[in-house]
Amino acid sequence: MKHVFLNILFLVFLFALSCGNNEKTYTLEELQKDNDGLNPRGTYFWDEFGGLRTQYGLNEKESMILGRWVELESHVSGNYYFYPNKLFTIVFNMHKFKEEGAYLAHLFGVWDIRNGRLAVKIYSLLKYYSPTDSRPERYEYMAVSPYEVDIIDIKDIDSIGYSKKPFTSFVFPKEIRRCITIPDGFRKGGHMVRSLYSILVITDSGEPEKSYDLFECFPEMAENNLTGLDIVTNPDIIYKFFGIPVFP
């Protein structure tokens, strides 16, 4: 009877371990499943911006990180953006400040791979103010006490552009943790897939064109040799690339 009980415990342990592991694997074809064809998944950053690669000297593991990462299962977590100059931003939707009528739009930091793990250090954020009859939409920069967020073990990033395990739950700055309302259904972590551009079919030229989203500004960053730390600690640069100031 004792042996039966121990065997049951062992099976329960294996089941819990497998659930906690939560590892998924995909082929490149499977990554494109249920995609509309206008938002390619897995795109390698240097296939689109290869002319600037030598300026940064990133190794292959670092290069795998570059791009926008969105959730595979759904789209209820933030979108993560990793730039070659080590700039990082995560974009949120509908995280409302309780007292100010503003929303959390971006967190900004720098990323790095240390001891085999991808981590970011957050330095600042942007609040978004929706337009009113008397005021157009605006953003407000706020510096926060720098803090680190561990994202994922680099071995769990597949070279074709997805995370075999979920990204770690993201931690909000302590300065705003009690000041925002997290929307229903929001998940802080999930299996993520890399993307870089969308294809626009309605354009001035009449031909399909690529839209690189927040990476449209990357060539200008490169031209001015701006590092991630240069950007995240400078409100004027943040406003230039990511939003219009509340108080111009």
Side-chain angles (χ1 to χ4, degrees):
M1 187 69 180
K2 181 179 179 180
H3 291 296
V4 173
F5 178 73
L6 290 176
N7 286 336
I8 292 173
L9 282 180
F10 181 69
L11 290 174
V12 170
F13 170 77
L14 289 180
F15 177 77
L17 189 63
S18 65
C19 291
N21 187 43
N22 206 10
E23 182 171 319
K24 293 186 178 182
T25 58
Y26 297 89
T27 65
L28 190 56
E29 292 74 22
E30 288 172 335
L31 286 184
Q32 311 305 328
K33 186 178 179 181
D34 300 325
N35 190 11
D36 57 12
L38 301 178
N39 297 278
R41 295 169 177 167
T43 306
Y44 186 59
F45 192 90
W46 297 125
D47 286 347
E48 298 295 317
F49 292 102
L52 296 168
R53 182 169 189 168
T54 57
Q55 182 171 338
Y56 294 96
L58 300 183
N59 62 37
E60 195 53 42
K61 287 184 178 180
E62 292 170 319
S63 295
M64 285 194 311
I65 299 303
L66 303 178
R68 175 183 63 185
W69 292 78
V70 300
E71 194 174 353
L72 265 169
E73 289 89 353
S74 62
H75 300 286
V76 293
S77 65
N79 292 342
Y80 297 64
Y81 294 76
F82 297 89
Y83 294 72
N85 58 2
K86 296 301 182 75
L87 171 66
F88 166 81
T89 184
I90 181 169
V91 179
F92 296 105
N93 292 309
M94 304 307 293
H95 285 67
K96 188 174 182 179
F97 281 82
K98 295 177 181 178
E99 299 178 0
E100 300 182 40
Y103 296 85
L104 176 62
H106 294 258
L107 294 178
F108 294 101
V110 294
W111 66 270
D112 202 2
I113 298 174
R114 296 192 303 274
N115 300 319
R117 295 199 67 85
L118 173 64
V120 299
K121 190 170 187 177
I122 300 299
Y123 288 85
S124 56
L125 61 85
L126 272 185
K127 295 180 182 179
Y128 169 75
Y129 290 81
S130 56
T132 67
D133 292 339
S134 60
R135 183 191 64 201
E137 65 176 2
R138 286 291 186 268
Y139 293 84
E140 182 180 1
Y141 174 92
M142 175 190 283
V144 299
S145 302
Y147 69 100
E148 291 199 1
V149 180
D150 181 271
I151 302 294
I152 196 170
D153 193 310
I154 197 66
K155 74 176 185 298
D156 294 321
I157 298 292
D158 193 282
S159 61
I160 68 172
Y162 72 95
S163 67
K164 291 180 283 188
K165 293 183 180 180
F167 279 19
T168 304
S169 296
F170 207 87
V171 180
F172 295 102
K174 64 181 181 180
E175 290 92 334
I176 67 164
R177 208 170 295 162
R178 296 178 180 177
C179 301
I180 59 172
T181 300
I182 297 176
D184 293 340
F186 175 77
R187 283 212 306 255
K188 294 183 180 179
H191 294 91
M192 310 293 280
V193 61
R194 185 179 66 210
S195 66
L196 191 59
Y197 63 84
S198 300
I199 299 174
L200 304 180
V201 294
I202 301 176
T203 63
D204 292 338
S205 68
E207 298 293 331
E209 296 176 5
K210 293 178 180 178
S211 172
Y212 293 97
D213 188 27
L214 296 185
F215 294 103
E216 297 281 359
C217 60
F218 168 62
E220 186 174 350
M221 294 177 184
E223 182 180 354
N224 290 283
N225 293 312
L226 293 172
T227 68
L229 191 59
D230 291 334
I231 295 169
V232 302
T233 55
N234 189 313
D236 291 334
I237 300 177
I238 290 290
Y239 289 141
K240 175 181 175 64
F241 292 132
F242 298 99
I244 304 167
V246 178
F247 307 114

